[in-house]
Amino acid sequence: RMEGSYDTAKEFYGEALAISQSLGVERRCGLALEFVAETLLEEGRPAEALLHLERAHLLAKKLAPRGDLMMEVLRRRGEAHAALGNTPDALRDLRRAIRLCSSRGERREQVLAARALGLLVAKDDLDLAVRMQKILADLDLLGDRFEYARTVYVIFEDARLTREAHPWLAEASLTAMHFFGSLGSRVWRNRLESILGRARPVKNDAPQL
């Protein structure tokens, strides 16, 4: 999935789901559904992702309503709702995920939920910049190179922040390109490269008379 080989990822996740179902291991079923959904989200198919997440949510609710599976499913379901424009549902799920993460001390999931929430609730560009800088700092501290780089992509995709107004984004984008490259995430590197090209200001190279 991190390489962008989505068909292969879904094939493996599907096999994992089938094995888990055959063994009656419901927690593993929930994880497989969750990861299929994450792959669909990265493919830009949030409606399909939400169907898998609803199934995973039922399993999480049955197994451990305040467990780590529930925490992860809520975060991804919030992201799916946000992508579909279902803001009230997204806010509900993301806030629940953050509260649950905080109570369990699950820092990484809390940071990722805060990223999605920040994009929805930031009051203005300055507020958004502060939130995203904190997310990047936290992911750097956690050593999560993929999500650091993905956060940079998300910032540029959102398009409210620019490198001209926020110079720290220039360094962050270079770091993200390096991370995607070192992880072998060619698809993500190409995506970021493309969006950075579109975000680049047009220069007037005509000679001054």
Side-chain angles (χ1 to χ4, degrees), residues 71-141:
M71 169 188 72
E72 295 171 9
V73 169
L74 284 173
R75 192 261 294 179
R76 288 168 174 84
R77 196 172 73 169
E79 291 177 338
H81 278 305
L84 291 166
N86 303 331
T87 302
D89 290 332
L91 292 174
R92 176 203 63 202
D93 282 349
L94 293 170
R95 285 169 173 156
R96 284 179 61 197
I98 288 172
R99 288 196 299 270
L100 189 52
C101 290
S102 179
S103 70
R104 293 180 55 86
E106 297 284 355
R107 186 62 184 151
R108 178 183 178 275
E109 278 296 321
Q110 185 174 351
V111 170
L112 296 180
R115 177 181 66 190
L117 184 65
L119 290 167
L120 290 173
V121 303
K123 298 185 292 294
D124 50 36
D125 290 357
L126 179 58
D127 184 26
L128 180 61
V130 170
R131 289 173 182 268
M132 292 302 108
Q133 281 184 287
K134 185 177 188 314
I135 297 300
L136 290 173
D138 288 341
L139 289 170
D140 187 41
L141 190 63

Side-chain angles (χ1 to χ4, degrees), residues 33 37 40 45-57 80 84:
L33 288 166
L40 290 167
R45 299 159 65 181
E48 294 174 64
L50 193 56
L51 294 175
H52 287 76
L53 289 166
E54 294 295 357
R55 291 173 61 192
H57 181 262
L84 291 166

